[in-house]
Amino acid sequence: MSTTPPAEATSLGRAILDRALSSLAFRDFRIIWAGAFASTIGTWMQKIAQSWLVFDLTKSSFFLGLDDFLGQLPILLLTILGGVIADRHNRLRLMLGSQYVQMTTAFTLAALVWTGVVRVEYILILSAVTGFAQAFGGPAYQALIPTLVPKAHLPNAIALNSIQFNLSRILGSLLAGVTLAAFGAAMCFVLNGFSFLFVVAAIMSLSLTHVPPAERKTILSDMRGGFSYLKREPALIALTIVAFLTTFLGLPLLTFLPVVAQNVFQGEIGLYSTMMAFSGAGSVIGALIVAWLGRSQRMGLILLFVQVVLGILIAGFSISRVLWLNELILLLAGISSMIVTAMATSLVQLIVPDHLRGRVVSIYMVALRGGMPLGSLASGYAATLVGVPMVLGVNGALMSIVGIYFLVRSHGVREL
């Protein structure tokens, strides 16, 4: 029997929730959070439907990886330039332009499917165009977040941003399964197109004024300034490496879920979307943990330890043939991956000064996001040679080895 009075238990629960959601007390952050949440639900609906469509058209793990690769390649190539521009120009206008381009590609894909002329080549091209828009909108958004909340609340805000992303992954995955079964892939793409209107409205309602930099240098000079600062901070270099390897080795777990759902468990879109929802639920839990911890002691040590655990989970997923166990592993892997990435991103944002934020954070984001296309392409090709389970097993082992290396050698991360 519990000895805690109900009133005290309620008060404790409210205090925990208030701490976890503290950044939502700030108007502009609350507005952009809500708009991004609504829009990202549509984005995940499209991602689920698009992955299923690509695999249905090609029956190829390689094309699944190629689609992810081409969607992320512009981010890898252009995000640093996008970061420089975000430090020089109006970040809100950059974000608006990015939303309009992504809205257009969603409606275009819907039209291609509805008219029956869709081909995998068209999907790949539209993925690349979407990635181009994100390469300029993403750095502007990342640089904007620290201006919406006080510095003490920054880890909480970053974690809450991850929560909205992953809550939308759960809802988007489940809604995609229902919509695909009832109306087909085209409706998922249409709903995604309309979802961008929410974030457009949120951006337009922000009460921010663009302040141009006092000294205007060349774009190349600004880029060099970002890299020079990064080179002087060993901990930033180490965090960037950790971020790259985490996504390079970890993302294929989600990329190959359509293959696992169909070939291992003989399931359809419902099973695929359910497995994605388990991963998303884990990410929400992981982000809530980071949000509640805030700027805690030994964040670097925690993230490295959790990275080792994440590698073990991925390796375990590769050998399991029990559905409930695989779903549990996806939940735990979602928790672990979110703790690693949210804590790493928080530490980078806390280290970097505001006047360099767009440039330096964009370099970090290239590593974080750039690992995704390269990992998808490399693992997709490797899977055609040795199979998906072997690739995931090797990826998991390598991820744990990387975590152990930085736990032993540190390079400044362990002490953060």
Side-chain angles (χ1 to χ4, degrees):
M1 180 181 295
S2 174
T3 59
T4 304
E8 290 185 19
T10 301
S11 178
L12 177 61
R14 185 180 297 113
I16 292 173
L17 187 62
D18 288 345
R19 176 173 174 176
L21 305 179
S22 61
S23 294
L24 293 178
F26 301 97
R27 174 192 177 273
D28 284 348
F29 179 78
R30 186 170 62 249
I31 289 173
I32 200 68
W33 189 94
F37 177 56
S39 178
T40 312
I41 290 174
T43 298
W44 276 106
M45 290 184 69
Q46 169 146 342
K47 181 173 178 58
I48 297 295
Q50 185 168 319
S51 294
W52 194 261
L53 179 61
V54 169
F55 192 66
D56 192 51
L57 289 173
T58 65
K59 303 298 180 185
S60 169
S61 301
F62 172 74
F63 275 103
L64 275 176
L66 183 61
D67 186 43
D68 273 344
F69 173 76
L70 291 177
Q72 300 291 334
L73 182 62
I75 296 170
L76 179 63
L77 297 177
L78 299 173
T79 291
I80 296 176
L81 174 61
V84 172
I85 293 175
D87 281 341
R88 295 162 63 96
H89 298 286
N90 191 311
R91 292 166 181 169
L92 298 182
R93 291 182 181 176
L94 288 171
M95 290 169 62
L96 283 173
S98 175
Q99 304 310 307
Y100 291 141
V101 172
Q102 292 177 73
M103 184 191 305
T104 301
T105 61
F107 284 136
T108 300
L109 184 53
L112 291 172
V113 174
W114 250 326
T115 56
V117 298
V118 66
R119 294 170 54 181
V120 69
E121 296 93 328
Y122 302 154
I123 299 174
L124 298 177
I125 291 171
L126 290 172
S127 291
V129 173
T130 299
F132 176 85
Q134 292 175 351
F136 291 92
Y141 181 73
Q142 291 295 328
L144 181 72
I145 294 299
T147 68
L148 305 180
V149 298
K151 191 171 184 178
H153 290 267
L154 185 55
N156 179 267
I158 290 171
L160 287 178
N161 193 50
S162 298
I163 287 172
Q164 70 83 6
F165 181 82
N166 287 285
L167 273 176
S168 63
R169 174 161 37 140
I170 298 171
L171 294 175
S173 298
L174 296 176
L175 288 172
V178 173
T179 306
L180 270 169
F183 304 106
M187 181 58 70
C188 291
F189 306 143
V190 167
L191 291 175
N192 181 40
F194 282 117
S195 75
F196 287 105
L197 296 176
F198 290 95
V199 73
V200 166
I203 293 170
M204 288 182 171
S205 67
L206 294 180
S207 56
L208 298 175
T209 303
H210 170 63
V211 179
E215 183 181 1
R216 181 62 65 88
K217 300 179 181 179
T218 65
I219 289 179
L220 188 59
S221 177
D222 281 345
M223 281 187 182
R224 284 198 297 264
F227 280 106
S228 295
Y229 182 83
L230 183 70
K231 287 169 60 178
R232 296 193 299 270
E233 294 287 343
L236 279 178
I237 296 175
L239 286 169
T240 303
I241 293 171
V242 167
F244 172 78
L245 292 177
T246 298
T247 53
F248 182 87
L249 298 170
L251 183 72
L253 176 66
L254 300 182
T255 301
F256 293 142
L257 281 186
V259 183
V260 174
Q262 284 197 23
N263 296 350
V264 176
F265 296 107
Q266 289 74 51
E268 295 297 330
I269 181 64
L271 178 59
Y272 170 44
S273 61
T274 300
M275 295 175 82
M276 286 291 289
F278 270 97
S279 175
S283 297
V284 171
I285 295 170
L288 280 170
I289 292 171
V290 177
W292 184 82
L293 288 173
R295 180 62 176 103
S296 59
Q297 297 294 320
R298 295 302 183 108
M299 288 177 68
L301 184 64
I302 294 171
L303 80 86
L304 292 175
F305 175 77
V306 174
Q307 186 183 33
V308 175
V309 173
L310 176 58
I312 295 171
L313 290 169
I314 293 173
F317 184 90
S318 72
I319 62 177
S320 172
R321 297 297 179 270
V322 181
L323 180 58
W324 70 264
L325 181 57
N326 282 65
E327 290 175 339
L328 176 61
I329 290 173
L330 284 170
L331 180 74
L332 295 175
I335 294 172
S336 302
S337 62
M338 182 49 57
I339 290 175
V340 172
T341 55
M343 283 191 170
T345 303
S346 296
L347 289 170
V348 170
Q349 291 275 25
L350 287 167
I351 293 170
V352 179
D354 186 64
H355 70 283
L356 291 170
R357 194 177 305 279
R359 281 162 280 177
V360 178
V361 172
S362 70
I363 298 171
Y364 168 80
M365 293 306 297
V366 165
L368 182 67
R369 298 288 300 271
M372 299 178 188
L374 295 176
S376 294
L377 187 65
S379 293
Y381 176 72
T384 64
L385 302 177
V386 299
V388 168
M390 177 63 73
V391 171
L392 292 178
V394 171
N395 283 2
L398 290 174
M399 182 175 293
S400 291
I401 291 171
V402 170
I404 292 170
Y405 169 80
F406 281 107
L407 278 171
V408 174
R409 300 295 297 272
S410 180
H411 295 279
V413 177
R414 196 176 57 206
E415 291 74 29
L416 291 174

